[in-house]
Amino acid sequence: MRRKSMSERKSNIFYHPTYLDPYHEVGAEELEEIPEILASLSFEYTEVLVLYANGLTVQEIAHMIGQKEEVVKTRLRYARSHAHKLINQKRQQENRAI
């Protein structure tokens, strides 16, 4: 029996970055797809997450909102962690429905 090549094996795998990588960046598409993410965060966390998801760096965000980079990193870490929890919950619900 012939072994499948790596590309053949990967073609049979359903892949979404958040399933396999808990540190996957939360992008603008996830924020649009799951509005509960932004609705459940306070303004400070929402502001940082939206700016970061739209491509701004930590340094740029800190300058825009008038905070230290460490504050932005802390807010971003919390917001991304919270977003990942909601994304995973949504994916689990979708998988149960299948």
Side-chain angles (χ1 to χ4, degrees), residues 40-58:
S40 63
L41 292 169
S42 68
F43 174 76
E44 292 82 13
Y45 296 105
T46 300
E47 176 182 43
V48 170
L49 186 60
V50 168
L51 292 172
Y52 190 77
N54 285 302
L56 277 87
T57 66
V58 170

Side-chain angles (χ1 to χ4, degrees), residues 69-87:
E69 289 180 27
E70 292 77 24
V71 172
V72 172
K73 289 178 185 178
T74 301
R75 289 180 184 176
L76 188 57
R77 188 178 313 113
Y78 173 81
R80 288 175 61 206
S81 171
H82 183 73
H84 280 289
K85 287 177 189 174
L86 292 177
I87 290 168

